[in-house]
Amino acid sequence: QMNFTGDQVLRVLARDEKQLSLLRDLEGLKPQKVDFWRGPARPSLPVDMRVPFSELKDIKAYLESHGLAYSVMIKDIQVLLDEERETMAKSRR
Amino acid sequence: LERSTSSFSYSSYHTLEEIYSWIDNLVTEHSDIVSKIHIGNSFENRSILVLKFSTGGSQRPAIWIDTGIHSREWITHATGIWIAKKIVNEYSKGGVLTDILNAMDIFIELVTNPDGFAFTHSMNRLWRKNKSTRPGIFCIGVDLNRNWNSGFGGNGSNNNPCSETYHGPSPQSEPEVAAIVNFITGHGNVKALISIHSYSQMLMYPYGHSLQPVANQEELYHLAKGAVKALYEVHGIEYIFGSISTTLYVASGITVDWAYDRGIKYAFSFELRDTGRYGFLLPASQIIPTAQETWLAILTIMEHTRTHPY
């Protein structure tokens, strides 16, 4: 099982098309640095992206340097995954 | 594995083996109305199964529902299972569902991407695509919701095999998509198609590949409005609705566009809840409320299909 310890999901609210295209630029990075859970669609919709722990600092710096407002939707993915796995095991028991 | 569908936990997530065992139990326990159809094999050679709910007749107009085309969207398989059980529990009680099943058949494909789903349990919970590999291509998997022959390869899909929205080498190149295409085309009388995804609480209809409104856009808009209202009245969860390209984003090669272009006038795509903070990791405690509200929306669409034959 892949481990997602420290990975976070950031929820970004792009104000306009220009900010959306800054987020789309992230999508094209090689190797892939972010996994869009909700891709950049339109200013009225949030963009959710999973950021590996190792990339967090750079990505947050990128967002802040471009004035992109964000919040941390999931603080540590692995915590939720562990809970999910435990709940499944309990249900099986 | 559970011995019967009544001891199965509908408020938990399950593995592929548990779901396939549950399917066998459901068919055994309700053989008067449910049968299992094997429509093909996945890239890694797993069976692709469809549940058929029918009260008789032959070649009746039908409704197609699929869940789990994106494997990490676990709430969709769980919702599909609950809905299948709801159908067998409710169909003989009179009311809307009985009328629907006296006139139409319902097909439900619970695990549309079995390889990807198995992979989310074994290796990578956040895997989205199927598991196909091709010589000379470094990355694994195709986005099965970009592999359909409608606007294939257009905007909103990607020709980079490492992308999460990689459309694959050609339309229907993926066995999981080809199996559905062959089944629905062979059946020839499917009147509604509902493809269930998560997340972001939306109910959408074609087109995704273009901003061009479809011929019966007005009808679909009002049907979606009614379905979303029925959904809201269960647990107060708000959905937005509209055509895919104007509500969400332009996406090409998607299931509902293919269905619509094949003459299936009532083609819808659901994006189920996350209630704003869990994304794909919706806790199992929200499975049943999500299924309950989704059921009312689906019933609205099915009833409209029944009362508007074409």
Side-chain angles (χ1 to χ4, degrees):
Chain A
Q1 268 288 0
M2 264 181 78
N3 191 288
F4 296 91
T5 299
D7 288 18
Q8 293 189 340
V9 177
L10 305 182
R11 171 157 285 185
V12 189
L13 295 172
R15 277 194 311 270
D16 51 32
E17 272 304 324
K18 180 171 174 291
Q19 289 204 330
L20 277 175
S21 67
L22 287 167
L23 291 171
R24 290 193 185 101
D25 294 347
L26 285 177
E27 195 165 24
L29 291 178
K30 292 186 176 44
Q32 196 182 3
K33 288 182 185 271
V34 300
D35 167 21
F36 281 109
W37 283 17
R38 289 182 69 168
R42 54 191 64 246
S44 56
L45 295 175
V47 175
D48 296 344
M49 56 186 182
R50 175 177 68 86
V51 182
F53 179 68
S54 57
E55 303 295 344
L56 266 180
K57 222 162 99 189
D58 289 353
I59 296 296
K60 285 183 175 177
Y62 177 89
L63 298 175
E64 285 151 14
S65 66
H66 289 94
L68 281 151
Y70 70 87
S71 61
V72 177
M73 178 174 134
I74 296 178
K75 197 160 173 294
D76 186 330
I77 285 184
Q78 194 57 43
V79 169
L80 282 188
L81 290 182
D82 293 343
E83 284 171 14
E84 184 178 77
R85 196 158 283 277
E86 174 49 31
T87 308
M88 281 179 73
K90 203 181 296 175
S91 150
R92 255 188 224 120
R93 281 197 292 277
Chain B
L1 294 173
E2 293 299 343
R3 290 284 174 274
S4 92
T5 63
S6 44
S7 58
F8 183 87
S9 169
Y10 294 90
S11 57
S12 305
Y13 291 116
H14 293 275
T15 64
L16 185 67
E17 294 71 26
E18 288 167 342
I19 293 174
Y20 277 16
S21 164
W22 176 86
I23 285 175
D24 288 336
N25 289 337
L26 186 79
V27 170
T28 306
E29 292 162 23
H30 303 276
S31 54
D32 57 326
I33 180 173
V34 197
S35 55
K36 171 177 88 172
I37 305 172
H38 176 270
I39 66 167
N41 279 33
S42 66
F43 184 86
E44 292 177 338
N45 212 26
R46 290 183 174 88
S47 293
I48 300 175
L49 303 176
V50 170
L51 285 171
K52 176 182 182 183
F53 300 83
S54 178
T55 57
S58 92
Q59 222 44 32
R60 275 181 172 173
I63 292 156
W64 170 273
I65 299 172
D66 66 65
T67 56
I69 195 167
H70 289 143
S71 38
R72 63 185 173 186
E73 300 167 4
W74 280 14
I75 185 60
T76 67
H77 317 81
T79 295
I81 291 167
W82 187 92
I83 284 174
K85 181 67 174 167
K86 183 76 174 176
I87 290 173
V88 297
N89 284 349
E90 300 280 313
Y91 89 97
S92 56
K93 294 179 181 172
V96 172
L97 180 63
T98 304
D99 296 342
I100 291 166
L101 275 171
N102 284 340
M104 307 182 81
D105 292 343
I106 299 173
F107 294 100
I108 302 184
E109 183 179 0
L110 290 172
V111 191
T112 306
N113 175 6
D115 298 347
F117 186 62
F119 197 56
T120 61
H121 283 273
S122 63
M123 289 295 288
N124 181 347
R125 169 69 179 80
L126 296 176
W127 189 260
R128 166 186 165 100
K129 303 191 282 186
N130 75 345
K131 292 290 303 309
S132 64
T133 57
R134 283 177 174 85
I137 290 188
F138 171 66
C139 290
I140 294 173
V142 168
D143 179 352
L144 297 177
N145 197 34
R146 297 296 185 279
N147 187 243
W148 298 75
N149 197 9
S150 173
F152 178 83
N155 290 337
S157 68
N158 205 309
N159 64 0
N160 169 5
C162 297
S163 163
E164 291 291 359
T165 54
Y166 174 48
H167 49 56
S170 59
Q172 297 155 209
S173 59
E174 304 312 297
E176 297 85 357
V177 169
I180 301 173
V181 169
N182 296 335
F183 179 79
I184 289 179
T185 307
H187 182 279
N189 205 12
V190 172
K191 298 296 182 186
L193 175 139
I194 299 169
S195 191
I196 302 182
H197 294 245
S198 81
Y199 65 97
S200 62
Q201 295 166 204
M202 296 178 183
L203 176 55
M204 297 177 282
Y205 45 81
Y207 281 116
H209 67 68
S210 105
L211 293 166
Q212 172 78 22
V214 292
N216 64 329
Q217 156 105 0
E218 192 74 17
E219 181 184 19
L220 294 180
Y221 175 86
H222 286 104
L223 179 47
K225 187 174 182 181
V228 161
K229 180 172 178 293
L231 184 150
Y232 174 79
E233 285 166 359
V234 183
H235 296 298
I237 297 292
E238 295 196 353
Y239 270 52
I240 59 176
F241 60 94
S243 79
I244 293 165
S245 55
T246 59
T247 308
L248 186 52
Y249 42 42
V250 171
S252 300
I254 65 177
T255 315
V256 292
D257 283 5
W258 171 84
Y260 193 84
D261 285 349
R262 283 294 133 336
I264 300 175
K265 270 174 61 176
Y266 304 121
F268 287 93
S269 179
F270 276 83
E271 291 283 352
L272 302 185
R273 60 163 86 175
D274 69 308
T275 55
R277 55 152 301 196
Y278 292 105
F280 299 118
L281 306 182
L282 193 71
S285 57
Q286 293 201 34
I287 291 174
I288 291 185
T290 303
Q292 289 169 332
E293 66 196 15
T294 307
W295 169 244
L296 268 291
I298 287 178
L299 210 53
T300 304
I301 295 169
M302 295 200 290
E303 176 62 356
H304 183 92
T305 306
R306 180 185 75 85
T307 53
H308 294 74
Y310 63 95

